[in-house]
Amino acid sequence: LIPDADINYPKPDWLDTARINLAVVGATTIGKSSFVNLLRDVSPGDPVAAPIGCVECTEIPQEYAWTLADGEAELSLWDCPGTETMYWSVNYLQKVGLRYFDAVLLIMESPDFTNNEAALVHECIKYGIPIHLICNKVDIHLDTGIPDAHVQILHKFRRRCPSKFPTLCTERFYLFTSFRSQFDKYQHVFRPELERFARKLTEDIGQARLGAECETA
């Protein structure tokens, strides 16, 4: 970190860095809260579910416990406010405290990066924060009936991403839907993507734990 990091980029009071913390970020109404619910396998009406269905349900970062399928790692998923939300839009990266997270999950709608999305990716690359790019709402393209629509989206990303972010691993880009019914309908597409995401995330968690052990040694 830069010398004045503690002044310009203070650690948020609500973030316990003794835990493994994952930031779920992206534009307003992109499906961040629905994504959190799907990962945790909870229905929208469940008392422990992240609220959905309003213009911007998440006004402050909200923590949700999540355990990976292997049962070995209990994580904190942080459902963060939309990048365009009034208070958070200015100095978003500093206010959310992205540098203190173990990984960032950026929810997108297409491989065409917005300015805010590009800024988030650059910040993560600059400070060595693992970032995973989740292309949400892919089920809309599958519903059109176009053969291999999801493959076209994946190829489009892999063509465009290297020109914008040469050092970003394109294997950390995933096709997704946050709607359970659509996930089940197209599980031949989304199930392998979810499993691939879990494997990559497990690698990040292993590295985060190793780094924490080195710091305390």
Side-chain angles (χ1 to χ4, degrees):
L1 296 177
I2 56 178
D4 60 345
D6 291 338
I7 299 175
N8 296 329
Y9 295 88
K11 181 179 76 67
D13 294 335
W14 39 263
L15 189 66
D16 179 6
T17 52
R19 294 179 57 83
I20 300 295
N21 296 291
L22 311 177
V24 181
V25 301
T28 300
T29 71
I30 200 69
K32 300 182 297 296
S33 299
S34 295
F35 176 75
V36 168
N37 289 337
L38 186 67
L39 285 186
R40 298 172 63 236
D41 196 24
V42 297
S43 302
D46 193 298
V48 299
I52 62 173
C54 52
V55 174
E56 178 53 55
C57 294
T58 308
E59 297 181 352
I60 60 174
Q62 297 292 329
E63 181 181 16
Y64 298 93
W66 178 46
T67 302
L68 280 173
D70 59 13
E72 295 183 0
E74 183 174 311
L75 319 173
S76 288
L77 282 171
W78 287 92
D79 186 5
C80 297
T83 52
E84 295 86 3
T85 307
M86 185 176 295
Y87 168 75
W88 296 91
S89 60
V90 179
N91 299 326
Y92 183 88
L93 306 179
Q94 293 92 327
K95 290 177 180 177
V96 173
L98 282 190
R99 297 186 192 179
Y100 298 94
F101 282 86
D102 298 290
V104 172
L105 315 181
L106 173 58
I107 314 300
M108 309 165 59
E109 199 165 351
S110 82
D112 300 312
F113 291 85
T114 66
N115 290 337
N116 284 333
E117 290 167 349
L120 285 165
V121 174
H122 279 300
E123 175 83 355
C124 290
I125 293 174
K126 183 177 180 179
Y127 293 98
I129 307 166
I131 183 168
H132 299 259
L133 308 179
I134 315 294
C135 189
N136 196 25
K137 304 183 182 182
V138 173
D139 54 299
I140 296 175
H141 301 278
L142 296 175
D143 280 341
T144 63
I146 298 175
D148 296 327
H150 61 292
V151 176
Q152 296 178 34
I153 296 172
L154 191 59
H155 287 170
K156 181 179 180 181
F157 175 83
R158 287 179 173 165
R159 287 195 307 269
R160 295 189 176 187
C161 189
S163 63
K164 288 180 174 289
F165 314 105
T167 61
L168 182 64
C169 176
T170 55
E171 293 305 313
R172 291 173 180 266
F173 176 80
Y174 317 90
L175 306 178
F176 219 78
T177 178
S178 295
F179 293 102
R180 170 60 66 180
S181 60
Q182 292 291 80
F183 183 94
D184 292 339
K185 179 179 179 181
Y186 297 112
Q187 60 178 304
H188 66 287
V189 172
F190 299 125
R191 179 64 63 183
E193 291 291 276
L194 179 59
E195 293 171 352
R196 186 166 63 88
F197 164 71
R199 288 195 299 270
K200 289 292 184 182
L201 191 57
T202 300
E203 293 177 9
D204 292 345
I205 293 168
Q207 292 176 359
R209 285 177 169 171
L210 179 61
E213 290 173 1
C214 291
E215 290 179 1
T216 57

